[in-house]
Amino acid sequence: KNNLAIKFIDNVHLTGNLLIFSDPSFNKLQNSVSLFVNEESISFMVLEGTTPIFVKTINYNNISELIPKVTEGFNSINQIGIDSQLLHKAYVVTDSISDNIIEQIRTKLNLNLLRVNPFDKIGQSPLIKENDLIQRKILTFSSALGIVLRLE
């Protein structure tokens, strides 16, 4: 037994948000939305500054359902009285969908959607950068990154 106490459990979506907050173009005075997309669900988080004011997760079964499910998520945001057209920016954290799918979402929803990779602003050794398996599933390691970022 030791005297350590867990103060926070991190996840990929929250780690992505930490990087969003450090982006120079992030405006803490305006609402934004972050999406985390994995192989089976989309998580929406509406942020008032850096505070989540709405969170919803929608499951999907295959990639053809993705864009309709994203549309459903934005409709849910509108239904609670937040005009999704007035959101400053939208961010997506994912290693599960291609840039082509992200572009289709941008076009379908007329959305300024920016892809966020928590490791883009962090130095990586050549062994990590050149490892295809790690790079394809880099977000697997983002919870550990989130803990490190909170220690700064």
Side-chain angles (χ1 to χ4, degrees):
K1 184 172 172 157
N2 60 42
N3 292 327
L4 296 176
I6 294 176
K7 293 183 180 178
F8 190 82
I9 302 295
D10 216 328
N11 70 24
V12 176
H13 199 161
L14 295 175
T15 299
N17 285 350
L18 287 175
L19 273 291
I20 290 166
F21 302 156
S22 69
D23 183 332
S25 70
F26 180 75
N27 186 338
K28 292 181 182 176
L29 301 176
Q30 295 183 310
N31 291 352
S32 55
V33 63
S34 65
L35 290 81
F36 168 61
V37 182
N38 65 22
E39 290 86 4
E40 50 198 39
S41 67
I42 310 157
S43 173
F44 294 82
M45 198 175 293
V46 176
L47 305 163
E48 188 174 88
T50 58
T51 305
I53 58 171
F54 173 80
V55 178
K56 180 172 184 143
T57 300
I58 299 173
N59 293 322
Y60 68 96
N61 295 313
N62 61 60
I63 198 72
S64 67
E65 295 177 352
L66 187 66
I67 294 174
K69 295 294 184 176
V70 170
T71 302
E72 178 185 326
F74 276 93
N75 288 339
S76 296
I77 293 169
N78 291 328
Q79 289 171 357
I80 63 160
I82 298 170
D83 185 348
S84 64
Q85 295 300 314
L86 298 179
L87 293 170
H88 172 61
K89 283 192 180 168
Y91 302 87
V92 61
V93 179
T94 186
D95 58 11
S96 299
I97 59 173
S98 67
D99 288 337
N100 184 33
I101 298 289
I102 291 172
E103 185 57 37
Q104 288 177 42
I105 294 168
R106 281 185 192 115
T107 302
K108 172 78 175 168
L109 295 173
N110 191 27
L111 190 63
N112 182 13
L113 183 61
L114 305 172
R115 183 181 206 130
V116 175
N117 177 343
F119 291 91
D120 280 349
K121 296 181 182 179
I122 307 289
Q124 298 176 42
S125 79
L127 292 174
I128 300 295
K129 279 187 173 183
E130 295 165 9
N131 186 311
D132 284 340
L133 177 61
I134 290 174
Q135 291 302 312
R136 279 195 314 267
K137 290 297 171 189
I138 193 80
L139 294 182
T140 304
F141 308 102
S142 63
S143 293
L145 174 61
I147 293 168
V148 170
L149 292 172
R150 289 179 199 289
L151 295 176
E152 292 187 323

